[in-house]
């Protein structure tokens, strides 16, 4: 079991001219730069201070590539902090938001209408606000607030470190979460090592990201995560497969999937599935047993792959697997001959809504 099982003799992805031709916006460079982006995002944060605050709850408001940082923060801090983190992907805020809430308003462009509306509601509720954006309307309307301005000019999903690091850094510096300078170092150095393996320069037989992309091509990926640490990572894999490779992908979670999703395997359909199990060494013993039972039940019904987090700290483990997924999604885009940077349908919807104006 594992990626070793999906070894193929294919080498299409070793053709650098093909990569250049399809990846017109050079998304590979953005992704491969993740360790340096984390470093830069951290040093940008270190220049600021956040006054201490003890919130009743934490909200991260954003959409798409700007929201996932909230999910990742939730996975990271799940075992650590005593207040809930809620990721709010909507125009409106839940009723529990109050003056004692800490609300992050995150929009890379600063022009996402759901997030702009959430900002207004957070302001009305006098919640403590921290804005993360690269400019746009959000920067203008949030002049009175703490605004963390991040570098502009790239697709939001490729700017993940700038959208995630400030959330964790702010929580650390407010005293809500513990400081983790060793973990950041571990993460950056692990990603540098992994980059050697996943890079386009590493030939297919030695490249885990290319291998997995060959195996998933033409299949419907079902991403099954085994612990709260990997749940957000599985969701990132799904969204990167959608936006970069232009394919559908589905996510589900242990142990919940044993109470519903698993029944789908009793039926017969014509879809060719590939199940990817996203695993972590810290997963619960009972979950391990559940994974074994799942493998048994799926035998002969779907291709099954396992990928594991690497590293020691929760932070490094999260990023090790996230990085693999980002690269696999880009290689899948190349195999599907679609420009990973293009997001025509998303832009079309935004422009249609803009033309109509506020409802
Ligand atoms: C594009 C992307 C999208 C955007 C989303 C919200 O790369 O990932 O999911 O993040 O449409 O836009 P922003 O991030 O500008 O608020």
């Amino acid at each position: 079991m594992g990626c070793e099982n999906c070894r193929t003799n294919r080498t299409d992805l070793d053709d650098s001219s093909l990569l250049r031709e399809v990846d017109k916006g050079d998304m590979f460079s953005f992704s491969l730069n993740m360790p340096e982006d984390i470093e830069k995002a951290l040093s940008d944060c270190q220049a600021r201070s956040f006054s201490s605050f003890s919130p009743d709850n934490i909200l991260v408001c954003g959409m798409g590539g700007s929201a996932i940082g909230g999910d990742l923060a939730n996975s990271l801090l799940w075992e650590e902090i005593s207040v809930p983190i809620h990721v709010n992907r909507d125009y409106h805020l839940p009723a529990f938001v109050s003056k004692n809430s800490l609300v992050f308003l995150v929009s890379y462009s600063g022009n996402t209408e759901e997030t702009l509306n959430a900002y207004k509601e957070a302001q009305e509720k006098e919640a403590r606000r921290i804005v993360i954006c690269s400019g746009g309307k959000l920067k203008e309307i949030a002049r009175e607030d703490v605004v963390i301005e991040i570098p502009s000019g790239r697709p939001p999903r490729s700017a993940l470190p700038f959208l995630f690091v400030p959330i964790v850094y702010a929580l650390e510096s407010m005293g809500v979460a513990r400081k983790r300078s060793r973990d950041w170092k571990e993460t950056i150095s692990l990603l540098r090592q992994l980059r050697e393996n996943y890079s386009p320069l590493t030939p297919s037989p030695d490249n885990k990201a290319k291998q997995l992309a060959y195996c998933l091509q033409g299949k419907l990926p079902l991403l099954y995560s085994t612990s709260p640490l990997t749940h957000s990572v599985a969701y990132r894999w799904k969204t990167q497969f959608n936006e970069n490779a232009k394919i559908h992908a589905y996510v589900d979670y242990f142990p919940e999937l044993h109470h519903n999703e698993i029944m789908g395997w009793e039926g017969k359909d014509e879809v060719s599935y590939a199940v990817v199990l996203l695993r972590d060494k810290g997963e619960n013993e009972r979950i391990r047993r559940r994974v074994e039972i799942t493998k048994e039940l799926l035998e002969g019904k779907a291709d099954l792959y396992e990928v594991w987090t690497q590293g020691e700290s929760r932070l490094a483990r999260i990023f090790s697997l996230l990085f693999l997924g980002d690269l696999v999604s880009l290689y899948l885009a190349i195999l599907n001959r679609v420009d990973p940077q293009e997001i025509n349908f998303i832009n079309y919807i935004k422009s249609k809504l803009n033309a109509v104006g506020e409802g």
Side-chain angles (χ1 to χ4, degrees), residues 10 23 31 64 199 211 247:
R10 291 179 64 180
D23 180 18
S31 281
S199 146
Q211 287 285 326
I247 59 169

Side-chain angles (χ1 to χ4, degrees), residues 27 62-67 106-115 134 138 154-159 163 236 239-240 243-244 341 343 346-347 350:
M27 289 288 275
M63 303 303 301
S66 289
V106 190
S107 169
Y108 185 79
S109 62
N111 290 324
T112 297
E113 62 177 40
E114 296 91 323
T115 317
S134 70
L138 191 55
R154 52 201 275 183
R157 62 192 180 283
S158 75
L163 297 159
R236 167 75 172 186
T239 59
Q240 292 289 74
E243 291 186 61
N244 291 341
Q341 185 161 357
I343 44 165
I346 294 177
N347 292 335
K350 287 184 182 181

Side-chain angles (χ1 to χ4, degrees), residues 206-272:
D206 305 318
N207 190 317
K208 193 169 167 182
K210 290 182 183 175
Q211 287 285 326
L212 193 51
Y214 293 130
C215 297
L216 297 183
Q217 191 187 13
K219 307 268 169 58
L220 178 60
L222 304 181
L223 309 163
Y224 289 172
S225 150
T226 59
S227 76
L229 185 121
T230 48
H231 290 352
S232 55
V233 180
Y235 190 67
R236 167 75 172 186
W237 276 52
K238 173 211 153 12
T239 59
Q240 292 289 74
F241 283 13
N242 298 150
E243 291 186 61
N244 291 341
K246 279 69 167 164
I247 59 169
H248 289 292
Y250 291 89
V251 194
D252 219 313
Y253 312 98
F254 281 94
E256 174 67 10
L257 74 85
H258 270 185
H259 300 273
N260 31 62
E261 160 80 9
I262 197 69
M263 291 309 300
W265 294 106
E266 267 198 34
K268 288 189 180 62
D269 58 35
E270 299 302 312
V271 183
S272 186

